[in-house]
Amino acid sequence: MTTYFIRSVAFRHLRYSVGQSLLTIGVVGISVLLIIYLRTIIGGTQTRIVQNTTGAIPHITVEPPERTPVGAWQLANLGIDPDTLYVGEVVNLPKARESIEDWRLWLPSLDGADPAVTAVSPIVTGQAFMNRGSRRQSVRLAGVIPERHNGIVEIEKSLVSGRFIGMSPGDIVLGRKLATDFGLKLRDKVRLVGPEGLTLNFTVAGIYNTGFGQVDDGQVFVTLRDGQSLLELGGSISSFGIKLADLYAAENIARRIAPGLPFKVRSWVVDNPNLFVTLASQGQTRDLILIMTTIASGFGIGSILVMVVTSKYREIGILKAMGATPGEIQSIFVLEGLLLAFLGCLAGVPLGVVLLKALAAIRSVGPDGRVGSPFLIEIDPVLLVGASLVAIVTGAIASYFPARRAGQVDPIQVIRGS
Amino acid sequence: MPQPVVELDRVGKTYYTGDVETPVLFDLSFSIVPGEFVAIVGGSGSGKTTLLNLMGLLDRPTAGVIRVEGREVSHLDELGRARMRRDRLGFIFQFHYLLPEFTVLENALMPCRMRGREFEKSREARMRELLTYVGLEEKLNVRPPQLSGGQQQRVAVVRSLANDPAVVFADEPTGNLDSKSGRMVFDLMKRLSRESGTAFIMVTHDDNFALEADRVIRIRDGRIQAPPGRHEGTELAVAAPEA
Ligand SMILES: Nc1ncnc2c1ncn2[C@@H]1O[C@H](COP(=O)(O)OP(=O)(O)OP(=O)(O)O)[C@@H](O)[C@H]1O
Ligand SMILES: [Mg+2]
């Protein structure tokens, strides 16, 4: 609560020492600017890292549980016939994974598993060899339903030529690098050899370039049927891929739907533990810098007010002798602190927005050869308000102590000239 | 007899600093009537400033009762005393302590400003008049640092009358001025007292000024000493034993 008297004295103090005031406003402005700038840039970088990591993979993978084979000799531990002696060499038994046969039954329930689910794609995956002329290369084969799989990774949008959605049996869609390596153009023929030696002929129906290394390199797409044939899976699939509207909800949703399914449900989070460590430590560094600048701006406001209060000690005493109450005097200096903080925001927020807009306008050629902004910048109004609030609360706290001291100045001591 | 503006009844003051007791004033009783011009004199350390601070509600007595315009004020809390000072009392100090951020006119109006914009407006014409009266009509809109010491103290004298107080307390208002400026400020105080009907209570070391007061209260070792000769004032002032 302020009065005419409080306001006028506070305004005059700030106006009279314009230099000091501007300096403090500058310090607060820079701290607000830093909060806005760092949060936006680092937030954008993190979003981009996460997008790059998850852009081409399902957020949740549903696959049959692994079967760990147990040797007969190991059964002894289970208490079965402890007296039997096994003769032979101990070998490491490879883990085996089953396929999902009744996937058509599960598909609708996965589609409706959560409102956040945007796509469910049945996938068969395996290794295959691609042959053309004398060239032979191992590729990752994915048999998919294109309409569904495009919801996992947007191949259709990244096509250089041809099509993805609507591909027919016998069609193959592959990355630009692979196509170049094999000298393939649209409608060229290529041969794929399955792990069991089965060979099928394909026609190039589409060539894409997504910018995601995992799909652009050594990956080929065929129809689900063709994939099942090549990998000799009959009618089964290897896994379901699920895409979500909110990729950060993946772990929670995975945990929630897992109990209702006879499958193993994994979120992308579990597959990328290092990413989270990186993001967290990046966030901590950012927060540390922000805390430091906030403290610096607090000290800026606090120290200028300590100076003002000290240099105005006598005037304060006389004002009190003339009838100003401790509360009024205190309000004068808290108001000064708040004004400095507020003016700092008034300078820092637009400056931050302008700086970010300028950065967002920068264009450069990315590693995938596309022209784009090197920064992912989204100006968040909540952040602008939040940064201002931080500065104003800091100003209030920093001015409170010098202000209280001012309120407690004893006019008698001032009059006595001590 | 009109109601006294200030009344002291067996007032005493003892300072307590830790375990140390310093008795300063003993058993003072006197009253000041409206418009009276009183000089308080006495040796250094005799308790003049202490007495003025008690009457001006800046400090509280440790014994006795003080009334301002008939109202007992000894037991008012800090806020109550601040309000009373703001609304009914005026102050002039040895150092003017004008606010350098405000103009001469604004400084003179500062006690009114505390009571709000309306009140300040209502007193502005009167303050212009008084500032003109003390010879500062050219300086209304300049800031105090551009004035001489005597001019600044004249602003302080006008400021002490801003809220149309019942009584003005002045602690050695000429103590920091050369004799010519001091004389000017003193004459102003006397004239303003007479014209506005405001009582002035002034601590001074200058016997010439004391001689020109309506009454002299002489303090010695914390007690009132009988005023010498023709400056015998009210019956209360003479109540002290003859020297
Ligand atoms: N806060 C205090 N604590 C203890 N003693 C004090 C305090 N203030 C004043 N005194 C003592 O009270 C006595 C009277 O002081 P006061 O300032 O009233 O004298 P004075 O008559 O105004 O002197 P001067 O003419 O030098 O201004 C002095 O002895 C002083 O040391
Ligand atoms: Mg004194």
Side-chain angles (χ1 to χ4, degrees), chain A residues 1 8 16 18 20 37-39 45 82 97 104 133 181 183 199 202 215 222 227 245 370 388:
Chain A
M1 205 207 65
S8 67
Y16 195 70
V18 161
Q20 281 181 359
Y37 175 79
L38 278 181
R39 285 208 76 100
T45 310
R97 197 182 280 285
R104 284 178 200 281
D181 288 349
T199 303
F202 289 93
V215 277
V222 298
R370 297 187 201 189
S388 306

Side-chain angles (χ1 to χ4, degrees), chain A residues 416, chain B residues 15 17 22 24 42-51 172 205:
Chain A
R416 288 190 187 279
Chain B
Y15 287 110
T17 332
T22 318
V24 177
S44 182
S46 57
K48 305 182 295 295
T49 297
T50 304
L51 175 59
E172 299 186 45
H205 278 122

Side-chain angles (χ1 to χ4, degrees), chain A residues 4-5 8-9 12-13 16 312 314-315 318-326 411-412 414-416, chain B residues 15 50 58-59 78-79 82-83 85-86 91 93 97 99-102 106 110 113-114 117 120 159:
Chain A
Y4 168 56
F5 166 67
S8 67
V9 176
R12 285 298 171 90
H13 279 173
Y16 195 70
K312 305 235 168 278
R314 292 167 176 194
E315 284 93 340
I318 294 313
L319 284 175
K320 284 193 74 178
M322 294 191 306
T325 64
I412 295 176
V414 173
I415 293 161
R416 288 190 187 279
Chain B
Y15 287 110
T50 304
L58 291 164
D59 206 351
E78 188 177 1
L79 210 66
R83 288 283 173 260
R85 292 198 299 271
R86 188 190 72 178
F91 295 89
F93 304 101
Y97 299 138
L99 307 187
E101 300 89 0
F102 290 88
E106 286 168 333
M110 195 53 67
R113 190 169 280 236
M114 292 180 196
R117 194 191 288 269
E120 189 188 50
R159 178 178 67 182

Side-chain angles (χ1 to χ4, degrees), chain A residues 52 56 153 158 176 208-216 367-370:
Chain A
N52 285 345
V153 51
S158 321
R176 186 169 60 184
Y208 59 81
N209 181 33
T210 60
F212 296 113
Q214 308 108 296
V215 277
D216 287 353
D368 57 351
R370 297 187 201 189

Side-chain angles (χ1 to χ4, degrees), chain B residues 101-120:
Chain B
E101 300 89 0
F102 290 88
T103 65
V104 163
L105 180 62
E106 286 168 333
N107 262 288
L109 281 162
M110 195 53 67
C112 306
R113 190 169 280 236
M114 292 180 196
R115 286 167 66 173
R117 194 191 288 269
E118 300 309 310
F119 186 69
E120 189 188 50

Side-chain angles (χ1 to χ4, degrees), chain A residues 135-186:
Chain A
R135 220 189 146 84
R136 183 179 159 85
Q137 189 184 326
S138 166
V139 294
R140 289 190 312 282
L141 173 76
V144 297
I145 302 169
E147 296 75 23
R148 281 186 171 271
H149 201 72
N150 198 56
I152 306 290
V153 51
E154 291 184 322
I155 302 292
E156 187 71 16
K157 216 179 71 183
S158 321
L159 283 170
V160 178
S161 60
R163 61 180 183 172
F164 177 59
I165 291 175
M167 70 195 271
S168 348
D171 281 350
I172 185 169
V173 174
L174 72 176
R176 186 169 60 184
K177 184 165 181 300
L178 206 56
T180 314
D181 288 349
F182 276 80
L184 288 168
K185 301 184 302 298
L186 230 49

